[in-house]
Amino acid sequence: MEEWIQQAQVWAGQAESWVRQQPPEQIYVAAAVVAITILVLIAASCLKSSKPNTIVLSGLNGSGKTTLFYQLRDGSSHQGTVTSMEENSDTFVLHSEQERKGKVKPVHVVDVPGHARLKTKLDEFLPRAAGVIFVVDAQDFCRACKQLQTLSSCRYLYDILTKATVVKKRVPVLIFCNKTDKVTAHSKEFIRKQLEKEINKLRESRNALSSADISDEVKLGVPGEAFNFSQCQNKVTVSEGAGLTGNVSAIEEFIREYVKA
Amino acid sequence: MLEELLIFTRGGLILWSSCQALGGAALKGSPIDALIRSCLLEERSGDASFSQDNYGLKWTFHNELGLVFVAVYQRILHLLYIDDLLAAIRKEFSQIYDPKRTDYYDFTDIFRQLHLEAEARAEVMKKSKQPIVSRPSQTHSHNKTAPKVRGGENTAGGNKKKGGSGKDEDSNGGSATFKGKENSQPYVVFKEKENGGPKDNNGAFDVNKLQNLRNKKKTVPTENGAKKTTKPAIKKKVNRVWDDKPSNKKLDFTEPADERGDEVTDHVLVTRGESMMDKDENVSSDSEDEEEAQDGPKKNGWFSLFQSIAGNSVLEKSDLQPALKALKDRLMTKNVAEEISEKLCESVAVSLEGKKLGSFTRISSTVQTAMEEALLRILTPRRSIDILRDVQSAKERGRPYVIVFVGVNGVGKSTNLAKVAYWLLQHNLSVTLAACDTFRSGAVEQLRTHARRLQIPIFEKGYEKDPAVVAKEAIQDASRNKSDVVLVDTAGRMQDNEPLMRALSKLINLNNPDLVLFVGEALVGNDAIDQLTKFNQKLADLSSVPTARLIDGILLTKFDTIDDKVGAVLSMVYISGAPVMFVGCGQSYTDLKKLNVKSIVKTLLK
């Protein structure tokens, strides 16, 4: 053991004499390079861990999320879409802002499939979301909500609003009523009221259950009062538009509000 | 005639469509969406083809680029060149594909050329096989007219219900594997009966058949099962006869009003404790999974960077074979039915072929991950399994929520019915039992005992009554008494017993219940597929309305008797598409659980 210590001391002495032999400028340059590299790494990691900038597009199967995704990115929905089997994820500058002069910060948008079998994909992206856009089919709304046994819009929205990550980080939610270019589409006020009523019912039936309910993570709203979107801790707004015709200004405003340019 | 050829990404964007490019007529309905929803997302991508309305669809994937190529054609026509054409198009398109581009108008010319070439090749092949081809083509046209008629009636139901589309593939698909078995309707029944006879695992039933034959002094059936199969079609349901002596005495010993076992009444409600349905399961493993999920995407970022620079071996089918075989054997040791394991492995192979293998991953781990995702997708319920919420909606409409329990003999229907009643009572809902098992001795008494212990009303009419009528009256009675839920118990029946299945179909169609729950035991092996397909088929065939009621949910029983051989879950869910709503794991009132998908997937692949 002592031999090792002695050997180490000899090496240290040798290193010191070697260092003293080098011209001082080289040492300073080497030290400076190391210091700068460390500073750069620290700065980069600091910048990366800033606010997440992912916008998640979610909603039921067939509500128009993929169309909206391509509208935001390219300004047109190309030749149409089919049911998505995987998520569409891309970082881009919004199409309407491509002509703006100066530097525009790109936005990371994820379009999560709405099919019930692929619901687990939503849980992968929600923790990193800066905002959630919940797309609702305004034309088909009544039928979709009343169906007893399918995963309806209201239940999906309820699941999103009661996820712990969404509430804790106060992720803002925009409820976008799509397909308003169709004649039989409902108005956004109607949809808003229906959603509030349904979520109220869901909330009450969940509260009537035993305390160890499995899927609920957070209790919504104020007990005793009818549910209202303003009671949520995170901000929930409702707006309307149409994906096919390109009327997506409400979404772009929402994105710009939460992902600073 | 090739109606349409569509190229789209897995994310859903259509890249090129032959209809739009060549100006053909648009497709009626949306067969592509139906294909995705009922076939590709259900892990049936290993099948040869899919049919919907009048269209037949064939597809192929390019897994590396994430593209899907689908060809749609008229189902009655038999086009030989589709597979050929799809392969050629896939090769050509992958050369001009660029992830940034979204329009491929120049592909139109290439497509036209490829189409002509493929047609020419098919013509040449047909001409060279002219004398042999003519006979099969005649039988094919003959075969296709008969099932097509059935297909027309069933598609409206088949679109909406999972069981229907499975049946469509079975009887109507133009795929190569099914061609041999395809025949006009009576022969399909013939074949099924033949398989049903020797495969029967209920010994008493077989003995019964033989004794009936002896009684009626028919000739003993030879190895040719043809005579045997005509009998079930014509004989009516006879009482079980033992020792050649038909008994004429009424065997109904029910005491009409007197309650014999009064002193044993005990309040089960408070003393038994909470039903296990409401207990949280495996909280720790969930939090582990969450952390993994958060670290996962970050790791993916670094790894994919390395992989895109370094690894570049493309997965071939021959590479996947050993890993898939090992996986299939593992699944089969976990009691998954053989057919299902085969189909699943094919589906995973199709989705992995052509993918680039990262240099830091082995083939077996890639296959394992893909299989895990596929299993997770299958076991995730497609519709809500929240019964309490559905009961609330039915309550608002002022009528009771009706659940019918069906299944083969001895799986535990009556026991689990009592467990479900206990669970519902704990959530302050008023339950009524309906004793529609009017056949088995002691069934009504059994339910009566449960009703007494749980202090809930029971509607019964004794034995030898028509179950459909009893159920109807029970529901009317329940709505008069403002009951929230009605649980209907039915007699156990084998899936190939035609008269009993007819009776069941009548019960379901007459009463239109909110939930048809198939009770299956976890111990069952390959028979699970047979049971579920036949139940669904009979319910669809014998229904009088176009939108037939099929099995809506599965109740898995005797789960505590299997340690980790949980494969029956997978077989049942895959074949019927219905989610597992409850799991029975014991014989007392509290032994009812919800299915934990993640733990099942983990157990299956351990």
Side-chain angles (χ1 to χ4, degrees), chain B residues 363-479:
Chain B
I363 297 185
S364 55
S365 49
T366 321
V367 169
Q368 176 114 347
T369 329
M371 179 61 96
E372 246 180 68
E373 276 173 23
L375 288 179
L376 202 60
R377 259 205 299 263
I378 299 178
L379 290 172
T380 306
R382 202 166 39 168
R383 30 156 293 207
S384 127
I385 55 174
D386 192 358
I387 304 228
L388 296 169
R389 176 76 192 95
D390 294 339
V391 171
Q392 293 286 355
S393 330
K395 210 165 155 176
E396 282 154 25
R397 283 176 229 180
R399 28 176 210 87
Y401 190 81
V402 181
I403 307 181
V404 176
F405 290 72
V406 305
V408 301
N409 311 66
V411 291
K413 288 182 289 298
S414 308
T415 316
N416 285 281
L417 187 146
K419 289 188 213 166
V420 172
Y422 181 73
W423 175 66
L424 290 170
L425 281 173
Q426 286 205 312
H427 290 288
N428 304 322
L429 293 169
S430 52
V431 185
T432 306
L433 304 184
C436 296
D437 183 354
T438 54
F439 177 69
R440 193 185 83 197
S441 316
V444 179
E445 275 84 0
Q446 185 181 6
L447 274 191
R448 209 187 281 161
T449 312
H450 282 304
R452 202 169 44 229
R453 297 182 89 196
L454 296 172
Q455 305 265 308
I456 53 181
I458 171 172
F459 186 89
E460 44 162 342
K461 285 280 185 211
Y463 294 95
E464 308 289 325
K465 303 288 186 302
D466 184 4
V469 171
V470 176
K472 196 175 181 72
E473 291 174 13
I475 298 174
Q476 284 169 353
D477 195 56
S479 48

Side-chain angles (χ1 to χ4, degrees), chain A residues 48 61-62 66 70 73-74 76-88 90-91 111 115-121 123-124 127-128 146-152 155 165 169 198 201-202 204-206 208-215 217, chain B residues 6 8-17 20 32-33 36-37 40-42 61 68 100 102-105 274 277-280 294 297 376-384 386 388-390 392-393 396-397 401 427 514-515 549 552 573 577 594:
Chain A
K48 266 199 215 151
N61 193 2
T66 310
Y70 284 102
R73 193 180 85 162
D74 303 325
S76 96
S77 57
H78 304 290
Q79 296 169 38
T81 57
V82 292
T83 309
S84 311
M85 292 193 280
E86 273 181 5
E87 69 279 2
N88 286 312
D90 206 0
T91 310
D111 156 36
H115 197 260
R117 297 260 188 208
L118 300 167
K119 199 164 173 237
T120 45
K121 286 215 193 267
D123 298 328
E124 283 176 28
R128 295 178 293 159
K146 288 219 166 50
Q147 274 187 351
L148 251 193
Q149 293 169 344
T150 56
L151 188 66
S152 70
R155 225 174 290 218
T165 47
K169 298 192 192 164
E198 277 293 325
K201 277 190 236 164
L202 273 172
E204 275 165 17
S205 68
R206 298 280 167 100
L209 303 183
S210 59
S211 50
D213 197 85
I214 302 179
S215 50
E217 298 179 18
Chain B
L6 206 62
F8 55 92
T9 63
R10 286 186 75 96
L13 182 70
I14 296 181
L15 292 174
W16 187 82
S17 149
Q20 289 178 7
I32 312 274
D33 273 337
I36 298 179
R37 270 177 231 166
L40 302 181
L41 282 177
E42 302 284 330
F61 298 103
V68 187
K100 295 292 174 206
T102 50
D103 51 359
Y104 294 85
Y105 300 120
E274 233 180 46
M277 280 286 281
D278 302 320
K279 290 216 181 90
D280 263 337
Q294 280 180 358
L376 202 60
R377 259 205 299 263
I378 299 178
L379 290 172
T380 306
R382 202 166 39 168
R383 30 156 293 207
S384 127
D386 192 358
L388 296 169
R389 176 76 192 95
D390 294 339
Q392 293 286 355
S393 330
E396 282 154 25
R397 283 176 229 180
Y401 190 81
H427 290 288
D514 294 295
L515 186 66
R549 291 303 306 274
D552 298 317
V573 174
K594 275 199 174 64

